[in-house]
Amino acid sequence: MDSSKAGSGKGAGGRKGGAKKKGVSRSTRAGLQFPVARIGRYLKKGRYAQRVGTGAPVYLAAVMEYLAAEVLELAGNAAKDNKKNRIIPRHILLAVRNDDELGKLLMGVTIAHGGVLPNIHQILLPKKTAEKASQEPKSPKSPKK
């Protein structure tokens, strides 16, 4: 009676017969590039909470991937505007500070080697009336003989 079970391939916890299936990562299941398992491990080791749900690292990985993609896209556009092929910290700073939502999110963040946004205060600019007066052509004086 028990001998019929042994021949069915169900022994050793179902590992005996059939081809082994390749494991699918949680990042692949969620359709993400960021590592879900690593983020879950960091959440657990960081002791942010006593327990961490299964959906928390997936959600966090998705949010982090979206933010990274957004910053990289805007920084790439800034690099292209400056006729460069490579993104440097200056391009990241320009991208973040010129975007309203990212600027609000990263308000107190200093980007190393990013510099500052080009800005000249209105008071320091020359007055409009002085510009107009200096641009008017003066009538040439006729030479006196």
Side-chain angles (χ1 to χ4, degrees), residues 30-95:
L32 298 172
Q33 301 299 314
F34 273 49
V36 172
R38 186 181 300 172
I39 291 170
R41 187 173 71 241
Y42 290 159
L43 282 173
K44 288 177 187 173
K45 280 192 176 179
R47 305 303 275 155
Y48 299 106
Q50 288 181 346
R51 302 164 75 183
V52 177
T54 56
V58 178
Y59 195 91
L60 184 57
V63 169
M64 289 169 61
E65 185 174 318
Y66 169 74
L67 286 174
E70 191 75 20
V71 169
L72 281 173
E73 182 185 352
L74 293 172
N77 293 342
K80 202 174 282 185
D81 291 344
N82 290 327
K83 300 180 179 74
K84 304 284 186 202
N85 291 327
R86 231 174 250 150
I87 295 174
I88 59 174
R90 175 74 177 160
H91 301 141
I92 295 172
L93 177 114
L94 291 172

Side-chain angles (χ1 to χ4, degrees), residues 6-26:
S8 66
K10 297 273 186 183
R15 291 176 293 190
K16 195 157 189 143
K20 288 189 174 182
K21 290 185 179 178
K22 185 93 170 165
V24 180
S25 70
R26 289 191 282 167

